[in-house]
Structure formats: structure tokens, C-alpha cells
Amino acid sequence: MNDQVIHAAARYKAGMGENGATADAILVQSFVLDGPAARGGDTPRVAIKDSIDIAGLPTRGGSRLFADAPPARDHADVVRALLDAGCRIVGKANMHELAYGVTGINGWTGTPLNPRWPDRIPGGSSSGSAAAVAAGLCDFALGTDTGGSIRVPAACCGVYGLKPSFGRISRRGVMPAESSLDCVGPFARDLATIERAMAMLDPGFAVDALDAPPRLGWVAVDADAEVKRAVDGRLAASGCAIVPVALPGMAAAFDAGLTIIAAETFAAYGMFADADGLGADIRERLRAAGRITPDQLGAAGQVRAAFAAEVDAVLAQVDALVLPTMPGFPPTLAEATDPRAAIGGLTGFVRPFNLSGHPALTMPVMAANGLPAGIQLVGRRGGDAALCAAARWLEIPGGEEDE
């Protein structure tokens, strides 16, 4: 372990107060860790979600349960890849406790400020990663997405977020160690940086291009009228061919995804369900997760296979699927008091694609009322670069979507 990592670890431990947060709670600790190929001003600055190991630093997962966790012995594979590519890691990003919530509200570490809409939730569970990008604290950030935990906070904070194809990016050194849904992926303020990050994380990722506007399959969903208008306006201006498609299995896939994440989270953390210091929302969800039966889990597995095939069949006819990222706008902090209601209200359109394993990207769009919405594009499994190429047709150069 080099001296720089040891020094960063000491500062990290010293900086953890009662709420474990900086003033705005975006980063649980700031430090600088250079990769071997780092070069001056062109060196990307990266924040890392606190469920991803950095050697010499504890991985706390946003939970008081791990307040005294020992330092990680090794870098997670994704951290090593970024350092080898010359990145500068500038801090560990805050998160919803145990990555088991979608609001980003955290009573121990503090709730990360949503930089542009400070009265509204930052989204979760990768709350700090999205907020760090939106605040300009880094060029891109890493988060994890088991049921929307990259795409929801990206949409809430008005940035881009990519959930890669399941299994494409290594999860070695990521908590929990076992998951059949979770993906590590990047946040950024523009699509080119998302692609740059993916090329660092996966040597097999090569930037793709489409010479003609893509054919997009519009998935009809029940969303807020203002959200629909914002998405429709961007689609109309893109020149893309938009065709209606149906995914009748989405509702069942949402429920199945909840069942599987509950069972797998209980397997990882169920022993802490009655522990002191656990957040009330996480305690309630863990206790409910412990009641999942083998029959329920088996039925969810059948839904997984059927929905994945359904999405594959539709994607054989179009270049990508398109739909809003969330049914509505990010709730205010005062409104986000019922975690169970938030799950359905925020993840209904994103969670099904964790179940199916397809890559999914959210890009920001502003509604007429000045609130953030998101456009979600879903691509073929393994077609992450092609998905980004399709999304480029919807991107406004210079980031005017954030004006």
C-alpha cells in the first residue's frame, strides 16, 4: 500500500464525525489518489460510491453498521482500472444506506444536497455520485444500480447515468459481494464522458456511431403529463423514427425485481435486521425481505426469463427502446417520508431492466415547469456502445438541456 493511500485513509477516518458527512454530504470524505498515468489538467477527476473498495479506506456502505470497518486491502477492479487509466480519485461518494433505498436520504451520513434543486431528493442509492457530478466536484463518478440506483439519482440531479449490461463490468470489490441484478456504471454531465469512462472500465468498449437517426421503440407508460411533454419534445426535435412498442410484462418484472433484490439483500445483510444504528427504513425493508419464500423467488426467476425474452424480441425490431426515466418529478425532501411509496414512484420504469439485464441510459431533459425529468434509452444486451450511439441523436450539443 503506498503512502498516499495510507495518508488518505487517515484523513478519511479523522473526517468522520457523528453524521459522517461534509457540509453538503455529497462526499463522505475528500482526498486525491492519482493513477500511475495521470497527466495534468486532462486527468479525469472521479468520485467513487462508498460501496466500492478503495485500498486503505473502509467501505461503509453509508451505514453506521460499518462505522468501524477495517480498511479495504485491495482496490475494487473498477477502481484499479480507473487508476491504471490515469484518473484522479477525489473522494468517496455518499449513498443511501446499504444501497437499499431510492431517495438518497441518510440519517447517519447526512443527505447529499441536490445541487440544482436543493429542496428535492438527490435520488438513490448512488446519491452522492450523482450530486458530485452535478456540482462539478468531479468529471465523472461511479455508482451501482440494482433497481435504478444510477438512473434515478442521475435523473433527479439532471445528469447522465448508464447502467451497463449485466455482467459487463466487474463487481469484484463491490458490496454486497453477490448480486444477480447489480451493475457498476458511470455518471457524467455529457455523453462523451460516459463513453470515456466506459472505455476505461471495459477494454472491450469501443465508441460506436450511427450514420442515420435511430429507430426508437416508444414504450407506452403512465407518466406525469409534464414529464411526457418534455420527453416528447426532445424526441420530436431529434429526427429519430419513433414507433410504438409494447412491453406487457413490465409490471410483473417490476414486482419480480423487488422480490429478487429483497432476497439477495437479506442474504447479505439480514443478520443486521435488529442491530442498533440501522436506519428505520432499511430495518423495515430487511425484515420484510426475510419473509420472501423460495416459491416466490422461483416465480420471480420465471418472470425474469420471460421478460428478458420479451425485451429481446422488441429490440430485434428497433435500435433502442425509449421511455421516461421516472413516472414523475423528484419529490421534495419533505414529501419523501414514505420509503415504500418512493420505490414505486421512482423505480417503476427502471427496475424492470435490471431484471432483464439490458443496458439502460438516462439523459437529462428539463420540463416546462423547471424541474428535471429523464429520458431512458434501453439497448440490446451487450450493445452498450450502440446504445450510447443512439442516445447521441437525442443529445443537445453544449448541454442546453440543462439550461
Side-chain angles (χ1 to χ4, degrees):
M1 189 184 305
N2 64 47
D3 291 342
Q4 186 177 38
V5 175
I6 294 172
H7 183 54
R11 281 186 288 154
Y12 184 99
K13 184 174 182 180
M16 293 295 292
E18 174 60 26
N19 69 355
T22 55
D24 58 16
I26 290 175
L27 300 178
V28 289
Q29 185 63 46
S30 300
F31 53 87
V32 175
L33 184 61
D34 285 340
R39 293 289 186 274
D42 190 45
T43 300
R45 300 165 301 141
V46 186
I48 305 292
K49 185 177 182 177
D50 197 24
S51 58
I52 300 173
D53 285 349
I54 297 176
L57 302 176
T59 304
R60 293 191 169 103
S63 179
R64 192 189 298 269
L65 295 174
F66 301 114
D68 298 320
R73 296 184 59 182
D74 301 303
H75 292 311
D77 285 351
V78 288
V79 171
R80 172 52 58 200
L82 295 180
L83 290 173
D84 287 348
C87 292
R88 300 181 71 200
I89 296 175
V90 299
K92 278 210 150 185
N94 201 351
M95 58 184 285
H96 202 113
E97 185 174 9
L98 301 183
Y100 202 33
V102 297
T103 63
I105 295 172
N106 190 314
W108 180 56
T109 59
T111 300
L113 180 76
N114 184 330
R116 294 192 58 193
W117 297 275
D119 63 325
R120 297 190 177 258
I121 64 166
S125 64
S126 305
S127 50
S129 297
V133 168
L137 301 180
C138 56
D139 298 303
F140 68 89
L142 291 190
T144 63
D145 191 315
T146 317
S149 287
I150 288 173
R151 290 158 291 161
V152 166
C156 289
C157 293
V159 298
Y160 290 74
L162 173 66
K163 179 198 81 67
S165 297
F166 180 76
R168 176 157 197 157
I169 304 300
S170 172
R171 292 190 67 261
R172 181 178 173 273
V174 179
M175 64 184 296
E178 302 294 332
S179 174
S180 70
L181 299 170
D182 190 50
C183 305
V184 178
F187 295 83
R189 291 183 295 278
D190 57 70
L191 191 54
T193 305
I194 290 284
E195 293 174 310
R196 185 182 185 188
M198 282 295 292
M200 294 176 182
L201 295 169
D202 176 11
F205 182 94
V207 175
D208 201 352
L210 292 176
D211 295 331
R215 179 180 168 89
L216 303 178
W218 171 257
V219 182
V221 290
D222 185 13
D224 180 275
E226 287 291 329
V227 170
K228 283 186 176 180
R229 274 192 284 273
V231 175
D232 286 344
R234 180 65 61 81
L235 294 177
S238 71
C240 297
I242 310 297
V243 297
V245 298
L247 288 177
M250 273 192 71
F254 173 81
D255 291 339
L258 282 175
T259 296
I260 292 172
I261 191 176
E264 294 182 348
T265 303
F266 188 81
Y269 305 119
M271 72 287 291
F272 300 120
D274 296 316
D276 292 338
L278 189 67
D281 62 323
I282 306 302
R283 184 187 311 282
E284 180 181 349
R285 291 192 72 189
L286 274 180
R287 287 175 174 173
R291 297 191 287 272
I292 298 294
T293 68
D295 286 347
Q296 289 174 313
L297 195 56
Q302 293 177 350
V303 172
R304 184 206 293 258
F307 185 66
E310 183 177 294
V311 177
D312 285 341
V314 174
L315 282 169
Q317 309 301 318
V318 295
D319 294 302
L321 307 179
V322 62
L323 65 163
T325 305
M326 300 188 302
F329 298 105
T332 65
L333 292 164
E335 292 168 342
T337 55
D338 184 346
R340 290 171 297 183
I343 290 167
L346 295 173
T347 70
F349 301 164
V350 291
R351 189 178 300 276
F353 303 108
N354 291 90
L355 192 76
S356 69
H358 293 80
L361 170 78
T362 184
M363 53 197 310
V365 63
M366 186 84 75
N369 60 8
L371 293 176
I375 300 174
Q376 180 179 209
L377 293 170
V378 180
R380 299 182 182 104
R381 284 184 280 186
D384 304 56
L387 175 65
C388 291
R392 203 171 300 119
W393 286 87
L394 302 181
E395 187 173 39
I396 296 178
E400 285 90 342
E401 64 265 21
D402 293 332
E403 293 299 323

